[in-house]
Amino acid sequence: MFGPDAQETHAFAGGSRGTEQTPNIAARLGNPYDEWSPLWRGVARVSGGLPSVSDAQSPPWQALRGLGQFPPPEPGVIGPASRRIAHQGPRFDVQVDANGYAWWYIDAFSEDGQYGLTIIAFVGSVFSPYYKFSGRGDPENHCAINVAFTGPRSGAWAMTERPRQRVDRSATHFAVGPSALHWDGAALTIDIDEVSAPLPARVRGRVRVFPMMIGNTAFALDPAGLHRWHPISPRARVEVDMDSPNVRWNGDGYFDSNFGNEPLEAGFEDWHWSRAHLSRDVAVLYEGTRRNGDPFNLALRMDQQGNWEDVAPPPMAQLAHTGWMIDRKTRADAGHRPKVLRTWVDAPFYARSALATTMYGESVRAVHESLSLNRFRSPLVQMMLPYRMPRAFW
């Protein structure tokens, strides 16, 4: 029923793309087909499938912007060499209202596959017990930069939450305490100066992210547009120069952002996400269960010009449970069984892993995440979180 032979006519700004061989993504998402786009109401395009930027007061734009603080991208295809890249940057100054959140996410593999990293900068830290217990009235007072390194003699984890007086945000700069992210229009520089937990150790150094493609599309993950995802640079080059742990490497990376107007666990029960660099394109798989029980299922490929195409997802493939018994599953080509190369993060309610898999006819390495928000809501898990996520009160 969702195979590649399903035919639909897609209406796009500036004309019709015509009748194409394309998966029935509206049916996969469990939402009715809508006049704006086959992705709208489940996964909505900010450019392409929705009205043009000149029609920014139309209902779909308003829903995606929330309170007007989620600006639509500049129209047109933005190439990595363009001077207009700065307009497609991370926008660290986005307004985050009460109960809301924003985060900017980077991951990378080393060229030899031995090392990996994830860095996540949070406003209204979605997994913070302090933000939750405070009533989530002041997201700016609950910011953190999470740093996780993995590899031989280089494992490190840090995630210290800090109050608003230690936060400095602008469109191109985001500082939380002594660590900061800075976007100069061509690269993202991340200066890290943190202390790991629960065992204290210095985590200090610099990571630079050089986009190789810029995404010109953002997506809503729910019909009301309360949770939004923007892949900023799905393919990037990453340079790691750390003093502690003492490690230096280069590799391929990925950079995206998420925004929301309600707690993450209010919108979802769980999700499974993965990304993989194909020989020319980037593939992203995103699926799970919304809090109302409706499933969502998204498979996308991005070309070198930054254009996304919705494609049929490969068949489901089960992965081994984590040490915390988190269910992990992904998708892989028929007849191929993905393998967990390394579990980067094994937490009580989520796991991030490196996979060897095959999708769309190519053998690839993928970064994979499984998140259980039902587990996150558990009082026992909430009691455990401060040991890994301390809060500085200065």
Side-chain angles (χ1 to χ4, degrees):
M1 151 169 129
F2 310 135
D5 56 344
Q7 293 188 0
E8 295 176 357
T9 300
H10 295 211
F12 277 71
S16 172
R17 205 170 73 185
T19 300
E20 300 180 0
Q21 303 292 315
T22 183
N24 187 342
I25 194 167
R28 289 209 314 271
L29 288 161
N31 290 292
Y33 185 83
D34 185 276
E35 62 181 349
W36 296 107
S37 161
L39 296 177
W40 177 243
R41 294 194 60 79
V43 180
R45 291 188 187 277
V46 169
S47 63
L50 293 179
S52 65
V53 173
S54 63
D55 192 16
Q57 297 308 312
S58 64
W61 278 114
Q62 291 174 338
L64 281 176
R65 289 204 313 263
L67 297 177
Q69 298 299 324
F70 187 64
E74 190 174 5
V77 176
I78 311 299
S82 171
R83 295 177 62 84
R84 295 161 63 202
I85 284 179
H87 299 294
Q88 293 285 335
R91 289 305 303 265
F92 294 125
D93 61 344
V94 63
Q95 180 175 316
V96 182
D97 294 318
N99 286 313
Y101 65 85
W103 78 69
W104 293 263
Y105 167 93
I106 300 99
D107 70 43
F109 282 110
S110 64
E111 292 175 346
D112 62 7
Q114 294 296 305
Y115 299 89
L117 70 80
T118 55
I119 298 172
I120 314 174
F122 293 94
V123 178
S125 183
V126 287
F127 304 126
S128 164
Y130 316 102
Y131 187 35
K132 179 180 175 70
F133 295 155
S134 75
R136 295 190 170 102
D138 187 2
E140 200 81 14
N141 199 44
H142 300 273
C143 296
I145 297 178
N146 172 219
V147 180
F149 288 90
T150 184
R153 299 175 299 282
S154 64
W157 162 279
M159 187 174 178
T160 300
E161 182 178 305
R162 291 181 167 88
R164 61 167 43 250
Q165 61 265 32
R166 299 299 311 278
V167 176
D168 180 27
R169 289 202 293 143
S170 69
T172 58
H173 183 76
F174 182 19
V176 181
S179 299
L181 296 82
H182 180 75
W183 172 257
D184 65 10
L188 178 71
T189 299
I190 307 163
D191 289 311
I192 301 163
D193 189 357
E194 298 289 333
V195 175
S196 65
L199 299 178
R202 181 66 64 182
V203 183
R204 178 184 290 161
R206 171 173 285 187
V207 174
R208 302 198 72 196
V209 181
F210 299 88
M212 299 174 67
M213 56 173 62
I214 293 291
N216 59 13
T217 304
F219 302 87
L221 298 176
D222 65 301
L226 295 175
H227 303 271
R228 306 173 294 277
W229 166 58
H230 178 203
I232 299 168
S233 179
R235 189 189 295 267
R237 289 292 296 169
V238 174
E239 295 179 355
V240 175
D241 186 6
M242 295 295 296
D243 296 323
S244 181
N246 186 10
V247 61
R248 288 159 183 80
W249 52 266
N250 299 333
D252 293 330
Y254 169 97
F255 180 21
D256 74 7
S257 57
N258 284 67
F259 309 90
N261 298 102
E262 67 176 6
L264 200 62
E265 66 270 25
F268 304 94
E269 293 183 4
D270 57 48
W271 74 39
H272 304 273
W273 171 92
S274 63
R275 66 85 177 167
H277 290 168
L278 307 178
S279 56
R280 296 180 61 84
D281 300 343
V282 175
V284 177
L285 306 175
Y286 215 150
E287 63 186 295
T289 307
R290 299 192 183 105
R291 181 54 60 188
N292 64 5
D294 290 343
F296 69 97
N297 178 9
L298 170 66
L300 297 170
R301 289 182 67 162
M302 182 182 185
D303 66 21
Q304 296 182 21
Q305 284 70 49
N307 301 307
W308 287 101
E309 177 188 9
D310 49 281
V311 294
M316 181 67 70
Q318 191 69 42
L319 300 169
H321 284 70
T322 69
W324 286 97
M325 296 304 294
I326 294 294
D327 182 40
R328 287 188 287 194
K329 55 188 175 184
T330 187
R331 291 179 178 270
D333 287 357
H336 295 272
R337 184 174 180 178
K339 177 183 179 182
V340 176
L341 296 175
R342 189 183 188 100
T343 299
W344 287 0
V345 179
D346 186 358
F349 62 95
Y350 80 100
R352 186 168 292 111
S353 313
L355 306 183
T357 186
T358 301
M359 61 176 67
Y360 303 110
E362 298 188 34
S363 296
V364 294
R365 290 183 303 188
V367 177
H368 175 272
E369 177 184 87
S370 288
L371 171 67
S372 171
L373 288 160
N374 287 342
R375 181 79 71 85
F376 170 73
R377 297 171 81 182
S378 160
L380 178 59
V381 170
Q382 291 295 312
M383 291 174 58
M384 297 167 64
L385 291 177
Y387 294 97
R388 293 286 275 176
M389 303 177 187
R391 178 175 170 87
F393 293 93
W394 58 89

